[in-house]
């Protein structure tokens, strides 16, 4: 127990030192109730149970492969092949579980260009007017008439986090990423739910553009 307390104290001292060197706002960073995580969300899809059974066989259930940071969410063992315009494909497209009530594919801008898609930036679930695609699994094909998007940058947070940052559900915030390739994202969509942990999701293009790494210092700010 004493060793854990000493480690926590050391981590806090290092954190405060970094904040001072970078000039971060301690009121919204060092004193935040929960640690901010900024993660890259690689291309993936969300499927209904109906789609899963068409692709993998009647009665098939998704099998968790890796549990994600948000409680109850996981990357499944199952993956599919995405067939885009002019028969260009992305193989091994990971399914994230559990099943949802809509089918949605989330890819980055580079993926869309490679596939020949004109894909809009959307919030998750906002799929009207988006392009569709064909998915191929070991047991069949599933045609999506819509649902291929580039997911907008967003932050998951609890009501406690929202109160600390002075924001509410569906607001926008800024994310400043420090480092050699540091930059600021100005339209981070806020999602507030009691079950959420504080986490920002970027896609692979956005993560690569700012040089995001495991130890990259990031700062979440309310837009003034």
């Amino acid at each position: 127990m004493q060793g854990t307390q000493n480690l926590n104290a050391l981590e806090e001292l290092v954190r405060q030192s970094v904040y001072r060197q970078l000039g971060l706002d301690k009121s919204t960073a060092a004193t935040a109730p929960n640690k901010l995580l900024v993660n890259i969300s690689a291309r993936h899809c969300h499927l209904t149970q109906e789609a899963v059974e068409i692709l993998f066989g009647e009665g098939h259930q998704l099998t968790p492969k890796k549990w994600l940071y948000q409680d109850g969410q996981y990357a499944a063992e199952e993956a599919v092949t995405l067939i885009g315009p002019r028969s260009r494909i992305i193989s091994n497209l990971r399914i994230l579980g559990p099943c949802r009530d809509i089918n949605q594919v989330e890819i980055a801008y580079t993926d869309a260009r490679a596939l020949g898609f004109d894909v809009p930036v959307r919030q998750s679930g906002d799929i009207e007017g988006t392009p569709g695609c064909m998915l191929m699994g070991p047991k069949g094909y599933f045609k999506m008439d819509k649902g291929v998007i580039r997911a907008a940058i967003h932050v998951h947070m609890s009501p406690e986090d929202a109160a600390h940052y002075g924001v509410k559900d569906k607001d926008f915030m800024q994310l400043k990423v420090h480092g050699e390739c540091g930059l600021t994202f100005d339209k981070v969509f806020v999602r507030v739910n009691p079950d959420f942990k504080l986490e920002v999701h970027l896609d692979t293009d956005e993560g690569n553009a700012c040089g995001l790494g495991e130890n990259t210092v990031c700062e979440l700010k309310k837009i003034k």
Side-chain angles (χ1 to χ4, degrees):
M1 180 64 72
Q2 185 65 39
T4 300
Q5 292 176 343
N6 290 339
L7 180 59
N8 291 339
L10 178 60
E11 289 179 345
E12 180 60 25
L13 289 173
V14 172
R15 188 179 300 114
Q16 291 180 8
S17 175
V18 171
Y19 291 147
R20 286 194 297 270
Q21 292 177 36
L22 296 177
L24 272 66
D25 182 356
K26 293 179 66 177
S27 66
T28 58
T31 62
N34 295 299
K35 179 181 178 181
L36 172 65
L37 264 68
V38 180
N39 285 324
I40 294 175
S41 181
R43 60 195 183 207
H44 62 269
C45 63
H46 302 280
L47 299 178
T48 63
Q49 180 60 33
E50 175 189 14
V52 168
E53 294 192 22
I54 291 172
L55 292 162
F56 293 93
E58 184 176 354
H60 187 90
Q61 300 292 316
L62 294 177
T63 304
K65 176 182 177 70
K66 178 183 178 182
W67 291 97
L68 305 179
Y69 186 62
Q70 298 299 322
D71 290 340
Q73 305 296 306
Y74 59 87
E77 292 280 0
E78 294 83 358
V80 294
T81 297
L82 185 158
I83 305 173
R86 296 185 293 280
S87 297
R88 296 176 181 174
I89 69 170
I90 288 179
S91 59
N92 201 35
L93 180 69
R94 188 64 53 190
I95 303 172
L96 298 191
C99 288
R100 297 192 178 184
D101 57 1
I102 63 169
N103 297 296
Q104 179 173 285
V105 171
E106 300 179 28
I107 59 177
Y109 180 71
T110 300
D111 296 324
R113 289 290 300 271
L115 288 166
F117 273 127
D118 182 10
V119 179
V121 176
R122 293 286 183 89
Q123 302 299 335
S124 181
D126 181 12
I127 61 173
E128 291 302 320
T130 60
C133 68
M134 184 74 74
L135 299 180
M136 181 179 69
K139 298 293 185 180
Y141 292 84
F142 181 76
K143 182 180 180 181
M144 289 176 51
D145 294 323
K146 59 185 176 183
V148 182
I149 66 169
R150 291 167 54 202
I153 302 174
H154 57 278
V155 56
H156 298 269
M157 61 172 60
S158 67
E160 178 187 30
D161 296 314
H164 173 78
Y165 286 101
V167 296
K168 62 183 183 302
D169 190 48
K170 298 182 181 179
D171 278 352
F172 286 94
M173 300 185 72
Q174 288 183 329
L175 176 72
K176 181 170 180 57
V177 182
H178 295 265
E180 292 183 355
C181 299
L183 53 82
T184 299
F185 296 98
D186 290 326
K187 292 188 66 177
V188 181
F189 187 72
V190 176
R191 298 179 184 170
V192 180
N193 188 289
D195 296 328
F196 285 165
K197 298 178 182 179
L198 187 60
E199 180 186 25
V200 174
H201 281 166
L202 309 178
D203 69 20
T204 50
D205 286 351
E206 294 153 350
N208 289 337
C210 65
L212 185 68
E214 184 177 352
N215 297 315
T216 303
V217 176
C218 299
E219 184 181 7
L220 196 57
K221 296 182 176 182
K222 180 179 179 179
I223 297 176
K224 297 180 181 180

